[in-house]
Amino acid sequence: KAGVTQTPRYLIKTRGQQVTLSCSPISGHRSVSWYQQTPGQGLQFLFEYFSETQRNKGNFPGRFSGRQFSNSRSEMNVSTLELGDSALYLCASRSGLENTEAFFGQGTRLTVV
Amino acid sequence: AQTVTQSQPEMSVQEAETVTLSCTYDTSENNYYLFWYKQPPSRQMILVIRQEAYKQQNATENRFSVNFQKAAKSFSLKISDSQLGDTAMYFCAFMRLNFGNEKLTFGTGTRLTIIP
């Protein structure tokens, strides 16, 4: 069974641009969560999607948004990029809401210059 | 809000020795899970072990075991017979069971180095 796949692995963007990151969960998993990892703030929850609906959102500005498709794949979008958005963005999938085990992808390293 | 504290930023131990990583947390919830995740240089977070708060018995997974002290809100990880492949960042994490809010709250991590 394939694991959680995140694309691309690396991205370099300029301040003010927007970026879209993709996450394909493990087959059959319907919950997808996104986390931001930075040296200063550590790992912080962004949002979770289940059956194409956002269930939960972390404390991030509206520039951070996401969506989930009918095949459970999820995308995360960051608009008007700032230098502070440079981070490792991790995606995690769970089979269902009752299952607490989250499987993570290898992340997308975003650098904003 | 829940908080998770890992007070050991870095640790190192000789191969084959035993090491214990500390974690404390703060919550007013009764129904929750605690986790230890490992993040090697490949960056992928890997679940090491999971503990349900309502279970008094400490979880074990091969060389990994926890010491869960619910009243003290302490959740330490013991790695026995440490191996070079155990070198990684280790994160303690908390998840409360509340429909619509099962996010993971992480500690700041402990960088563990196994010395050959």
Side-chain angles (χ1 to χ4, degrees):
Chain A
K1 204 180 220 184
V4 178
T5 304
Q6 291 188 245
T7 56
R9 293 289 307 278
Y10 300 91
L11 265 179
I12 300 176
K13 290 286 188 179
T14 304
R15 268 184 305 175
Q17 287 186 316
Q18 75 163 18
V19 68
T20 299
L21 312 182
S22 179
C23 172
S24 292
I26 291 172
S27 178
H29 284 198
R30 296 167 61 194
S31 164
V32 174
S33 297
W34 289 88
Y35 292 84
Q36 182 196 64
Q37 185 175 21
T38 60
Q41 299 298 317
L43 282 148
Q44 293 186 287
F45 171 78
L46 280 156
F47 27 64
E48 180 185 21
Y49 287 88
F50 181 81
S51 292
E52 302 178 65
T53 301
Q54 187 181 88
R55 298 181 65 243
N56 196 5
K57 190 177 192 305
N59 189 24
F60 279 82
R63 300 185 296 107
F64 290 81
S65 63
R67 59 178 174 168
Q68 186 179 35
F69 301 94
S70 58
N71 62 358
S72 294
R73 188 178 71 86
S74 177
E75 287 182 347
M76 190 191 101
N77 185 276
V78 188
S79 62
T80 319
L81 283 166
E82 301 177 359
L83 295 179
D85 297 333
S86 294
L88 178 66
Y89 290 89
L90 292 166
C91 165
S93 75
R94 293 189 288 148
S95 59
L97 301 179
E98 72 290 350
N99 194 318
T100 60
E101 185 170 3
F103 294 84
F104 283 81
Q106 289 189 283
T108 294
R109 171 78 66 188
L110 171 65
T111 302
V112 182
V113 297
Chain B
Q2 286 69 232
T3 59
V4 178
T5 302
Q6 293 179 251
S7 57
Q8 304 152 312
E10 293 189 30
M11 294 186 73
S12 61
V13 66
Q14 293 288 138
E15 189 177 5
E17 290 186 347
T18 294
V19 62
T20 299
L21 309 183
S22 301
C23 172
T24 58
Y25 60 96
D26 189 24
T27 184
S28 57
E29 303 284 337
N30 283 317
N31 200 13
Y32 55 89
Y33 279 74
L34 294 163
F35 306 83
W36 279 98
Y37 277 90
K38 166 184 176 180
Q39 188 177 39
S42 68
R43 308 181 324 204
Q44 186 167 14
M45 300 281 278
I46 301 164
L47 178 63
V48 174
I49 200 164
R50 171 177 50 178
Q51 174 79 42
E52 300 161 71
Y54 65 85
K55 286 190 176 178
Q56 292 188 343
Q57 186 172 6
N58 289 325
T60 62
E61 287 285 344
N62 300 314
R63 299 182 294 108
F64 299 87
S65 61
V66 298
N67 183 1
F68 174 47
Q69 301 289 328
K70 189 172 184 179
K73 295 180 182 172
S74 170
F75 183 61
S76 62
L77 173 70
K78 185 171 84 170
I79 306 174
S80 303
D81 184 27
S82 57
Q83 300 174 359
L84 297 180
D86 295 333
T87 293
M89 282 289 291
Y90 286 80
F91 292 94
C92 178
F94 172 101
M95 178 189 283
R96 76 177 191 183
L97 295 181
N98 181 1
F99 185 76
N101 196 17
E102 298 95 20
K103 66 176 182 179
L104 285 163
T105 300
F106 289 91
T108 51
T110 296
R111 184 177 303 279
L112 176 65
T113 302
I114 308 300
I115 303 166

